[in-house]
Amino acid sequence: MADPAKNVHISNRARETNTYDVIVVGSGISGGWAAKEFAEKGFKTLLLERGRNVEHVKDYPTASLNPWEFDHRLVNPEKEKTENPVQSTVYDESNKHFFVSDKDHPYIQNDPFHWIRGYQVGGRSLMWGRQCYRWSDLDFEANAKDGVGVDWPIRYKDIEPWYTYVERFVGISGSCEGLPHLPDGDFLPPMAMNALELRFKDEIKKKFPDRLVTIARLANLSRGWNGRGPCQYRNLCSRGCPFGGYFSSNSATIPVAMATGNLTLRPFSIVAEVLYDKENRQAKGVRVVDTETKESIEFFAKVIFLNASTIASAAILLQSKSDAFPEGMGNGSGQLGRNLMDHHFRIGAEAQYEGLMDQYYVGRRPGGIYIPRFRNVNEATKRKDYIRGFGIQADAERRSWYDTVKHTEGFGKDFKEQLISPGIWTMWMGAWGETLPYEENKVTLDENKTDKWGIPLVKIDFSFRDNEKAMRKDMKESAMEMLHEAGLKNVTGFDYSSVGGDCVHEMGTARMGHDPKTSVLNKWNQLHEVKNVFITDGSCMTSSACQNPSLTYMALTARACDFAVSEMKKGSLG
């Protein structure tokens, strides 16, 4: 692979002519993919990012620091929590630099909603959980069968080859299981389960024949792949990985795009609106506010991909008002900004296991085990109290000194020996549940308040409803039941409550659908009303399923890019 540093070409000034073939807005997981696809196919591509530049390796300042090298030993002080009440719930001293400041980037919570953001080149691909699962027709047909929201305009067969396409580039470690509603992928070798996880898997298979325990499918590399990795099992992913042991825009897609010579990366660029050509009935470009100079600059292209993230992409279109679109570009259906979803979680159970004290493990594996959805999969598993379902992520480990010290008293040599010895086995299980699309869960713009760049503030209305509440009861009880039946002791259920946004799986706001009267995007992720504007981030999702969604964003992006390229060659776009 070419050295990306030698190919970086950053434009911090407006060019004499600001015209490209394609403009991609946002450099996170889906934006990085769009940039790669177009640049590789020979199109001059402008990648706009509202935050600073982050270069792979060079800009990971904490990647190799030890806990004692941080001023507060990785514990956020009270001042930090007060100044950044939302972002500080998920960062610490080691990765704070990848999160925005709540003070500098305000938004309005009409209901509690934690909008977790990373404004830099690479976006949240530097901070994501890296769990990668395909969806199936259990998910793509759900809205139509349940009469909820609108029907997806695609089925699994439409996206299946694109899942394979992105998996072969990303590198997903995992195990093929032959489960129809969690399709297998093109995997790298799976990471290993430890002794208690293997025992748990055997017990669940005996006690619950309809449930499967498998190793997590992760975008962490179990062996070297495409010039990256392998994973070093340090479990320091959120600081940026200098080994390229996991997939990010910074380590994977952007360097490839740069190497083509077709990509121009422009950080510090907030897209204020998409510009519309009323005569041609197509978008002609975007207007950008330079975050450093506050200069307003226009860029032009035949095709525009919005990949700014679920809430930000909807906000950009809502800001893009004109005579043709008085309520925002592509909002003829009135659905733009609506149907905001996020998975609900932070519920499950934990327990202890007596035995296997001669067993241990090596390294800090970046993921655990996974129990795919087992509710409402067929008639035999149908529930009367809620629709859809949940998956469970779990892991087992020997109790560390950090936890042992909470339960141990003493001093001197014996006390030290107790702390440095591996403790008993413990197991944690957490469930991730599907949230239905509700029109009232929405993103709108405040008409009077703006940020320091003059951009209207986003307002968010969001709540979980009866279906999610009924599901949560079952999520907790199911986790406790499985731990009991698998022979673990001291089983304790937990429900830490889930606020919208906490899971950082925002979806909806510009849903795909068959009908322009009820949806924003068609089956190719084009705006129904402006064919040369595509959205392939979480905005496009018509339902949320219960699997982590990023792999689906990437597959939809690659698919939409392929379609756009074919249309550009026909001369039908721009």
Side-chain angles (χ1 to χ4, degrees):
M1 182 181 294
D3 181 356
K6 295 179 180 178
N7 294 284
V8 171
H9 173 57
I10 301 173
S11 170
N12 288 317
R13 292 177 176 276
R15 294 185 175 187
E16 184 175 347
T17 172
N18 291 343
T19 300
Y20 298 82
D21 296 319
V22 181
I23 293 173
V24 178
V25 180
S27 61
I29 271 185
S30 64
W33 261 99
K36 169 188 167 298
E37 293 299 297
F38 286 114
E40 282 191 313
K41 290 175 173 61
F43 293 93
K44 295 298 181 185
T45 303
L46 174 64
L47 179 58
L48 296 170
E49 168 53 52
R50 64 173 294 157
R52 65 189 175 97
N53 191 27
V54 170
E55 293 185 31
H56 182 49
V57 183
K58 177 173 111 26
D59 292 321
Y60 304 152
T62 61
S64 297
L65 296 184
N66 292 301
W68 54 88
E69 295 180 274
F70 293 92
D71 290 342
H72 302 95
R73 307 297 190 266
L74 301 177
V75 176
N76 288 332
E78 291 303 314
K79 183 172 182 286
E80 190 72 47
K81 298 176 185 176
T82 302
E83 293 180 350
N84 288 300
V86 173
Q87 313 300 319
S88 66
T89 60
V90 291
Y91 71 59
D92 61 32
E93 286 176 296
S94 72
N95 54 18
K96 175 186 174 183
H97 47 287
F98 290 146
F99 292 81
V100 303
S101 156
D102 288 328
K103 180 181 177 182
D104 291 339
H105 301 280
Y107 66 103
I108 298 169
Q109 301 179 57
N110 287 340
D111 301 302
F113 190 95
H114 292 169
W115 188 15
I116 307 298
R117 289 162 288 168
Y119 290 161
Q120 65 259 325
V121 168
R124 294 188 300 199
S125 76
L126 288 165
M127 309 118 77
W128 67 311
R130 306 169 306 284
Q131 302 254 349
C132 290
Y133 303 101
R134 293 188 180 198
W135 289 24
S136 72
D137 278 339
L138 180 69
D139 309 303
F140 290 115
E141 295 176 353
N143 277 5
K145 288 183 175 177
D146 294 334
V148 171
V150 298
D151 186 16
W152 277 87
I154 62 172
R155 292 292 183 264
Y156 180 65
K157 64 179 174 55
D158 298 307
I159 194 173
E160 181 181 12
W162 297 103
Y163 275 132
T164 302
Y165 178 77
V166 298
E167 285 165 351
R168 287 176 178 171
F169 180 80
V170 170
I172 310 292
S173 59
S175 175
C176 291
E177 303 288 357
L179 198 64
H181 63 275
L182 192 78
D184 293 329
D186 200 325
F187 298 136
L188 299 182
M191 294 184 177
M193 293 188 195
N194 61 42
L196 180 55
E197 291 166 348
L198 288 170
R199 188 187 184 285
F200 178 77
K201 177 180 179 176
D202 290 342
E203 292 300 313
I204 293 300
K205 187 176 182 180
K206 286 188 280 187
K207 304 289 177 49
F208 303 93
D210 62 340
R211 302 180 193 181
L212 169 73
V213 178
T214 186
I215 189 71
R217 296 172 179 176
L218 293 172
N220 285 80
L221 303 174
S222 54
R223 62 180 172 87
W225 190 248
N226 288 332
R228 295 178 276 118
C231 175
Q232 302 295 301
Y233 296 87
R234 307 185 321 146
N235 202 7
L236 300 176
C237 310
S238 67
R239 303 180 186 183
C241 181
F243 305 95
Y246 71 86
F247 175 87
S248 68
S249 297
N250 312 66
S251 66
T253 48
I254 291 177
V256 169
M258 285 293 185
T260 67
N262 292 320
L263 183 68
T264 298
L265 172 63
R266 192 181 201 283
F268 303 113
S269 304
I270 301 176
V271 172
E273 63 176 321
V274 179
L275 304 171
Y276 186 63
D277 184 334
K278 193 173 181 179
E279 291 186 3
N280 293 326
R281 300 178 65 182
Q282 296 208 37
K284 61 181 180 181
V286 298
R287 181 173 66 84
V288 161
V289 176
D290 187 298
T291 61
E292 293 186 304
T293 66
K294 295 187 178 180
E295 181 183 10
S296 183
I297 309 167
E298 293 183 351
F299 295 94
F300 306 95
K302 296 174 182 176
V303 167
I304 296 162
F305 265 61
L306 288 183
N307 299 90
S309 79
T310 294
I311 294 172
S313 288
I316 289 170
L317 289 179
L318 288 168
Q319 291 157 203
S320 304
K321 295 181 178 179
S322 62
D323 291 342
F325 300 109
E327 301 301 323
M329 182 177 287
N331 196 20
S333 66
Q335 292 296 316
L336 182 62
R338 295 186 178 274
N339 311 298
L340 177 64
M341 298 170 282
D342 182 35
H343 289 143
H344 57 104
F345 73 137
R346 290 184 171 169
I347 188 165
E350 53 194 356
Q352 299 172 348
Y353 184 74
E354 298 172 352
L356 299 174
M357 294 302 285
D358 59 340
Q359 300 289 316
Y360 202 62
Y361 40 83
V362 176
R364 298 170 181 170
R365 194 184 58 197
I369 56 177
Y370 189 64
I371 303 173
R373 175 177 160 182
F374 52 86
R375 297 298 198 204
N376 295 320
V377 175
N378 49 41
E379 282 301 314
T381 59
K382 196 167 184 177
R383 299 280 298 194
K384 295 180 179 178
D385 50 345
Y386 66 86
I387 60 173
R388 312 296 170 91
F390 56 90
I392 293 179
Q393 298 180 25
D395 69 60
E397 61 185 20
R398 297 286 297 272
R399 179 184 274 171
S400 70
W401 74 266
Y402 187 80
D403 292 317
T404 299
V405 74
K406 299 173 185 174
H407 307 278
T408 307
E409 295 182 354
F411 63 93
K413 181 181 178 183
D414 291 344
F415 182 57
K416 182 179 178 182
E417 286 295 327
Q418 291 184 67
L419 294 186
I420 64 175
S421 300
I424 61 171
W425 283 91
T426 62
M427 189 159 190
W428 173 92
M429 298 176 70
W432 271 247
E434 176 165 0
T435 297
L436 298 179
Y438 303 107
E439 282 196 9
E440 298 79 9
N441 284 351
K442 62 186 179 183
V443 173
T444 54
L445 302 179
D446 192 282
E447 296 180 355
N448 302 307
K449 297 179 181 177
T450 62
D451 63 17
K452 61 184 179 183
W453 297 284
I455 306 296
L457 294 193
V458 164
K459 297 190 295 185
I460 299 176
D461 295 82
F462 187 92
S463 63
F464 295 116
R465 308 293 172 84
D466 289 345
N467 196 68
E468 291 77 38
K469 292 173 183 174
M471 188 187 299
R472 291 181 72 77
K473 187 171 183 294
D474 187 31
M475 292 157 81
K476 179 178 173 180
E477 291 175 352
S478 295
M480 294 179 69
E481 181 187 30
M482 283 188 277
L483 289 170
H484 272 299
E485 292 298 320
L488 282 88
K489 308 295 183 184
N490 301 322
V491 177
T492 305
F494 62 83
D495 183 351
Y496 301 130
S497 186
S498 186
V499 173
D502 274 345
C503 199
V504 204
H505 289 172
E506 307 101 271
M507 290 172 267
T509 72
R511 66 186 180 191
M512 297 169 71
H514 298 283
D515 189 349
K517 294 179 182 176
T518 58
S519 59
V520 180
L521 304 171
N522 67 14
K523 66 178 181 180
W524 297 111
N525 294 78
Q526 293 172 288
L527 285 181
H528 283 298
E529 298 169 278
V530 187
K531 298 297 187 189
N532 65 336
V533 176
F534 295 73
I535 306 180
T536 62
D537 57 24
S539 313
C540 71
M541 306 297 271
T542 309
S543 64
S544 70
C546 64
Q547 302 94 311
N548 301 54
S550 294
L551 182 68
T552 300
Y553 302 165
M554 291 189 269
L556 286 172
T557 300
R559 178 177 179 269
C561 289
D562 182 71
F563 173 78
V565 168
S566 67
E567 292 299 298
M568 292 169 78
K569 289 179 178 176
K570 295 176 189 173
S572 60
L573 293 178

